[in-house]
């Protein structure tokens, strides 16, 4: 059974740092790209960052680029998100999600987030 | 920048059919995937690809794609389908992922 469990959330002051982790189990972690997705209180889902299985490809949303760093440890089946220079607008529940792996079907690419963790709450406030 | 557009809210009578749409240029390259989210819970994948349901998702959920528009259809909506629904795809130019703004479905 695929399981993703986030940890590391909490209360932090503006300008501070926090490191989130996602513990993965039930699948060959190194074979899958992984994502961080966040949801501010009462708002919609926002993609934050992605990392390929080998960590060779990394992407960030413009809203976090230069402040957040995604990484993974395939030996420990762990995904991390280092968040620096935090702002009030970074307050959200942060989810890790597994990528299904892209497949081209009938001319379009099929790719999706097939498993999600329960999330961890990050609150940025003075 | 590329984005996905959804109607903020839709309502449907119990047992009737409802369609939730998602528009965006990225859908000309990537299939949309659809996620259901109930209050206080993590999103759950309900439709992916051309029209595929993960194990455990009722067959009243279906999807379709045409040009820059993807649709999620619930045929015979149930009370438990009341939730927020989000579409998702990827920008083939930037490789960034994106979500639609979400559609709040009310079952009357």
């Amino acid at each position: 059974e695929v399981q993703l469990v986030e940890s590391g959330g909490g209360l932090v002051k503006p300008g501070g740092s926090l490191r989130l982790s996602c513990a993965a189990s039930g699948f060959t972690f190194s074979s899958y790209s992984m994502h961080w997705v966040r949801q501010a209180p009462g708002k919609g889902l926002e993609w934050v960052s992605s990392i390929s299985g080998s960590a060779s490809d990394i992407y960030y949303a413009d809203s976090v680029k230069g402040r957040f760093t995604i990484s993974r440890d395939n030996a420990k089946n762990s995904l991390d998100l280092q968040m620096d220079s935090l702002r009030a607008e970074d307050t959200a529940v942060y989810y890790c999600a597994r990528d299904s792996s892209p497949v081209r079907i009938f001319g379009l690419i099929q790719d999706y987030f097939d498993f999600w963790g329960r999330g961890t709450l990050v609150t940025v406030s003075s | 920048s590329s984005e996905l557009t959804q109607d903020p809210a839709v309502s449907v009578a119990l047992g009737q059919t409802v369609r939730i749409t998602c528009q965006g240029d990225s859908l000309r390259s990537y299939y949309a995937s659809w996620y259901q989210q109930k209050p206080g819970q993590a999103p759950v994948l309900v439709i992916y690809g051309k029209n595929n349901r993960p194990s455990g998702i009722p067959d009243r959920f279906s999807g379709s794609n045409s040009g820059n528009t993807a649709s999620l259809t619930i045929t015979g909506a149930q009370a438990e389908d009341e939730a927020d629904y989000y579409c998702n795809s990827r920008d083939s130019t930037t490789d960034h992922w994106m979500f639609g703004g979400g559609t709040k479905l009310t079952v009357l």
Side-chain angles (χ1 to χ4, degrees):
Chain A
E1 178 193 7
V2 172
Q3 286 198 330
L4 300 171
V5 180
E6 302 91 340
S7 61
L11 175 62
V12 61
K13 290 181 168 53
S17 297
L18 208 57
R19 190 176 186 90
L20 305 183
S21 292
C22 172
S25 61
F27 63 102
T28 305
F29 183 67
S30 60
S31 296
Y32 291 85
S33 294
M34 298 293 295
H35 306 275
W36 287 100
V37 176
R38 69 183 180 183
Q39 186 170 37
K43 302 297 184 182
L45 300 174
E46 180 188 14
W47 169 77
V48 173
S49 182
S50 302
I51 186 168
S52 62
S54 64
S56 59
D57 297 310
I58 288 176
Y59 305 96
Y60 298 99
D62 292 344
S63 58
V64 306
K65 193 170 185 178
R67 301 187 299 121
F68 289 12
T69 303
I70 192 172
S71 62
R72 63 191 297 158
D73 185 333
N74 287 341
K76 296 182 178 179
N77 290 347
S78 179
L79 173 73
D80 287 346
L81 186 68
Q82 175 67 38
M83 304 186 296
D84 298 321
S85 303
L86 282 162
R87 307 166 180 168
E89 53 264 36
D90 295 318
T91 294
V93 174
Y94 285 74
Y95 298 100
C96 69
R98 190 182 82 165
D99 190 281
S100 65
S101 299
V103 176
R104 184 173 288 275
I105 300 176
F106 297 115
L108 296 182
I109 299 172
Q110 172 183 285
D111 200 1
Y112 51 93
F113 301 1
D114 55 1
F115 291 95
W116 297 64
R118 291 189 174 187
T120 186
L121 176 62
V122 172
T123 303
V124 184
S125 174
S126 54
Chain B
S1 61
S2 187
E3 60 182 24
L4 296 174
T5 302
Q6 296 182 241
D7 290 330
V10 171
S11 62
V12 61
L14 184 68
Q16 296 303 301
T17 297
V18 62
R19 175 174 292 181
I20 298 171
T21 61
C22 173
Q23 287 191 305
D25 288 340
S26 63
L27 301 179
R28 298 185 185 279
S29 300
Y30 278 80
Y31 287 107
S33 52
W34 291 91
Y35 305 85
Q36 176 194 70
Q37 188 181 36
K38 297 180 179 179
Q41 297 183 19
V44 173
L45 176 70
V46 294
I47 289 289
Y48 65 93
K50 189 170 172 58
N51 180 18
N52 302 292
R53 287 175 288 106
S55 174
I57 301 301
D59 61 6
R60 63 179 178 271
F61 289 87
S62 63
S64 63
N65 304 267
S66 180
N68 72 336
T69 302
S71 300
L72 171 70
T73 300
I74 307 174
T75 304
Q78 301 300 302
E80 59 263 33
D81 299 334
E82 188 163 287
D84 294 325
Y85 291 85
Y86 296 90
C87 61
N88 166 254
S89 79
R90 192 176 192 184
D91 185 325
S92 58
T93 301
T94 63
D95 282 331
H96 287 190
W97 287 85
M98 68 197 86
F99 287 92
T103 298
K104 183 176 182 61
L105 176 66
T106 300
V107 179
L108 304 172

